Amino acid sequence: MRRKLAAGNWKMNGSRAALYELAKMAETLPEDPPEVLICPPAPYIAHAIEMVGPSIMIGAQDCHTAEKGAHTGDIATPMIADLGASHVIVGHSERRTDHGESDSDVRAKADAGLKAGLTSIICIGESEAQYDAGETINVLNAQLRGSVPDDIDPYRTVIAYEPIWAIGTGKTPTLDEIASAHAAIRTTLTDRFGDRADAIRLLYGGSVKPGNASDIFGIPEVDGALVGGASLKADDFVPIITALSES
Ligand code: PGA
């Protein structure tokens, strides 16, 4: 059985004062919650950990591939682990687009996360043009081949399927489309990693809200969600966490 995961990506939003939302989330979690993760901006990781303790895990939104060195402004995975954070998101489409990250960059970052003892959440997803052209599954397979390291710990490897056109737009694929994408991802991972792939969790991301969460979590092979906008406020994120715990 894969443990469900509700992951929030705050992107470049929030403030020290906004960390209060984390305390509110921790206080209002459902009984027997799934794993809950928030990835705040890097300057707030340490404060966030102090604020919520173990009930909500804290992660980073990106990392460098190297353990240390002359890389001004970058953050190494051993530093993220040193703070007590547990996860790192790699290959988010905003990183791929804004910073030109390639599949091989993403693979190296995922590898760096795993080597530091973190769980690496590897994001993949098609553009609107690729979706319109019916290329979704081919794109996902190519990204999985390129972005997932060979030497994984399946328990600390998470794949987030995030159609780029669904991120922050209020648009989502149909439930059938999410189901077939997740089934295809599972098959591709099993072809490559055999039975070990059973432990890899698959998240859906892109405009997950309190109103659509239950339907999405009812899909087989959806082990949770990577949530952007709706993870900023406890009033939005806790209902999503609750929907996941009831799925
Ligand atoms: P969204 O973002 O929930 O605001 O659409 C999802 C993401 O980018 O992870």
Side-chain angles (χ1 to χ4, degrees):
M1 270 293 279
R2 291 181 293 272
R3 187 102 199 270
K4 311 252 165 152
L5 173 63
N9 172 13
W10 279 13
K11 309 190 179 184
M12 200 171 71
N13 296 296
S15 60
R16 257 185 99 159
L19 295 177
Y20 162 75
E21 289 293 330
L22 287 176
K24 199 168 155 195
M25 285 174 201
E27 277 163 20
T28 51
L29 286 178
E31 263 178 54
D32 199 17
E35 284 187 359
V36 180
L37 169 73
I38 291 284
C39 300
Y44 300 124
I45 290 175
H47 294 305
I49 290 170
E50 278 165 27
M51 191 96 177
V52 285
S55 59
I56 296 180
M57 299 179 295
I58 301 296
Q61 299 173 11
D62 179 46
C63 63
H64 195 273
T65 57
E67 276 181 35
K68 61 176 182 171
H71 303 289
T72 301
D74 280 314
I75 299 166
T77 52
M79 297 171 184
I80 298 168
D82 191 29
L83 286 175
S86 51
H87 292 61
V88 61
I89 299 171
V90 297
H92 190 282
S93 68
E94 287 149 19
R95 299 289 317 173
R96 291 177 186 262
T97 305
D98 298 353
H99 298 270
E101 291 186 8
S102 65
D103 280 332
S104 62
D105 296 328
V106 176
R107 175 191 281 238
K109 289 182 177 206
D111 206 35
L114 293 169
K115 288 216 169 75
L118 302 170
T119 295
S120 292
I121 301 179
I122 304 167
C123 302
I124 58 172
E126 81 285 3
S127 67
E128 187 147 37
Q130 290 165 332
Y131 171 80
D132 288 341
E135 288 170 5
T136 299
I137 304 294
N138 288 342
V139 170
L140 298 181
N141 281 335
Q143 289 179 330
L144 286 172
R145 263 196 310 279
S147 303
V148 180
D150 289 326
D151 188 16
I152 55 159
D153 173 346
Y155 294 96
R156 290 191 292 111
T157 303
V158 176
I159 308 295
Y161 167 50
E162 300 204 301
I164 298 169
W165 53 273
I167 294 175
T169 58
K171 294 193 274 185
T172 56
T174 65
L175 298 178
D176 282 349
E177 287 168 337
I178 298 174
S180 38
H182 278 238
I185 293 167
R186 178 68 64 201
T187 302
T188 300
L189 292 171
T190 303
D191 287 348
R192 181 159 161 203
F193 297 107
D195 291 347
R196 298 171 71 226
D198 289 352
I200 301 175
R201 286 176 289 177
L202 309 185
L203 309 183
Y204 168 77
S207 295
V208 176
K209 307 285 176 206
N212 61 16
S214 299
D215 286 343
I216 292 170
F217 297 147
I219 299 171
E221 299 295 349
V222 172
D223 301 312
L226 181 54
V227 183
S231 71
L232 291 166
K233 296 267 181 255
D235 287 350
D236 293 324
F237 198 40
V238 171
I240 293 172
I241 297 166
T242 305
L244 185 58
S245 76
E246 290 169 353
S247 69

